[in-house]
Amino acid sequence: MQIEQLELFVAVVEHGGMTAAGRQMGMTQPAVSRSMSNLERQLGAALFQPDGRGIEPTEAGTLAYERLSALTLDWRRLLAELRRLGGRPDALTIAIPMGTARVLLPPIIRRAAVDLTDTRVHVVEAPSPLAHRAVISGEYDAALIYPQHDIETTTALTVATERLYAVGKAELLCAEQPGEHPIELAELARLPLLLTEPSWSIRGHIDRAFKERGLKPIIAREVGIADALLAFALEGEGVAVLPLSNVVRERELGSLTVREISEPQLTREIMLVLSTGLPKAVESDVRALIASSISEIAQQANWQLTAQK
């Protein structure tokens, strides 16, 4: 029995299902199910029961959740405090959004090797809810996240904003004229769209924009895996809505056409959250590392940098 397994159990209860919990923890639904079955065997009690729409905790599951939700959070906080008291850590873990790693991972690793020679820097891809929770608990030292309605971001710092683009085969996006000219939202609504699931932050931006303009988009497919959106777009099944950082390679190769969305322009913030367990000197180093790495790829990803205080 490991702390990660107990945290997964807490996530399943809080999300009311294994699929949503797996998405937060970066795991597939079958992997979550196997882990929960193993936990039930170790504890000798059934923790979940079906409720018609998904699953809910049994009496034993409710008791376990009440104790374990506090225990797992206290454990992560203890680790963060011990690391802070120990002085400068010999290793740091930084999470970046899934997909964004395509452009941001190389500069972070290169710069860390030069600027943080006494510290090993581990960079991981993680969904924003999972990354934010891991930073708050002290498991991760820092994370770049996209704000979501269910994430408290008062302690986060906005470091950049990015635009969203329509991404698809040329025959879908450039039927009338060549080039990567902007596409108006009303025109986009008439195309078959490949969108993320409603729980994703990017989907919230897209849905609000259509609603505010009184538009009813044609949704060809909703996908819970970011890379699957590109796969379906490459097959010509529809048009995805993604930031430029996710499709730099496809744009350069000419395998997909990328058009900025206009009327209105769609943008979203990128925020940095830091663990409270980081010593001040290390916190400054991490801020500088992220700022310099983002500056390096800002033009390529078309990110607008935010002035740092």
Side-chain angles (χ1 to χ4, degrees), residues 140-199:
Y140 293 168
D141 299 286
L144 285 170
I145 65 169
Y146 294 114
Q148 295 183 240
H149 66 88
D150 57 347
I151 293 181
E152 175 57 57
T153 56
T154 55
T155 60
L157 174 70
T158 299
V159 293
T161 58
E162 67 179 6
R163 299 175 186 176
L164 300 184
Y165 292 77
V167 179
K169 301 298 286 186
E171 54 266 30
L172 281 175
L173 281 172
C174 296
E176 297 181 359
Q177 50 184 310
E180 296 183 353
H181 52 287
I183 181 171
E184 294 187 3
L185 192 68
E187 182 183 352
L188 183 64
R190 296 192 292 270
L191 299 176
L193 296 182
L194 307 169
L195 301 180
T196 63
E197 294 178 345
S199 61

Side-chain angles (χ1 to χ4, degrees), residues 24-240:
Q24 178 189 343
M25 304 296 285
M27 298 173 61
T28 64
Q29 188 276 334
V32 176
S33 180
R34 288 193 298 270
S35 181
M36 292 302 95
S37 295
N38 184 45
L39 181 61
E40 289 179 323
R41 286 194 297 272
Q42 293 179 72
L43 296 178
L47 300 175
F48 301 101
Q49 60 188 0
D51 69 350
R53 296 173 299 175
I55 59 173
E56 63 178 14
T58 61
E59 182 179 356
T62 299
L63 175 61
Y65 172 74
E66 291 173 353
R67 304 290 177 85
L68 291 176
S69 59
L71 185 151
T72 54
L73 183 58
D74 285 346
W75 171 250
R76 293 304 177 184
R77 286 175 173 169
L78 172 62
L79 292 181
E81 284 297 307
L82 291 175
R83 187 171 58 190
R84 181 182 63 80
L85 292 174
R88 190 177 185 91
D90 59 1
L92 295 171
T93 299
I94 301 174
I96 56 180
M98 303 179 76
T100 305
R102 285 181 147 202
V103 294
L104 192 53
L105 182 60
I108 288 181
I109 291 178
R110 285 196 301 265
R111 290 176 179 272
V114 175
D115 299 337
L116 298 173
T117 55
D118 59 342
T119 304
R120 297 190 308 276
V121 176
H122 306 288
V123 185
V124 299
E125 281 187 288
S128 291
L130 170 60
H132 189 262
R133 179 187 175 98
V135 170
I136 295 302
S137 68
E139 181 180 0
Y140 293 168
D141 299 286
L144 285 170
I145 65 169
Y146 294 114
Q148 295 183 240
H149 66 88
D150 57 347
I151 293 181
E152 175 57 57
T153 56
T154 55
T155 60
L157 174 70
T158 299
V159 293
T161 58
E162 67 179 6
R163 299 175 186 176
L164 300 184
Y165 292 77
V167 179
K169 301 298 286 186
E171 54 266 30
L172 281 175
L173 281 172
C174 296
E176 297 181 359
Q177 50 184 310
E180 296 183 353
H181 52 287
I183 181 171
E184 294 187 3
L185 192 68
E187 182 183 352
L188 183 64
R190 296 192 292 270
L191 299 176
L193 296 182
L194 307 169
L195 301 180
T196 63
E197 294 178 345
S199 61
W200 289 42
S201 64
I202 191 173
R203 180 66 181 273
H205 289 278
I206 298 166
D207 288 346
R208 282 193 297 272
F210 282 127
K211 184 177 181 180
E212 289 171 359
R213 292 297 174 110
L215 300 171
K216 294 183 178 181
I218 302 170
I219 301 178
R221 191 181 293 274
E222 293 178 326
V223 185
I225 302 174
D227 283 346
L229 290 176
L230 285 178
F232 286 120
L234 285 165
E235 291 178 2
E237 185 171 319
V239 174

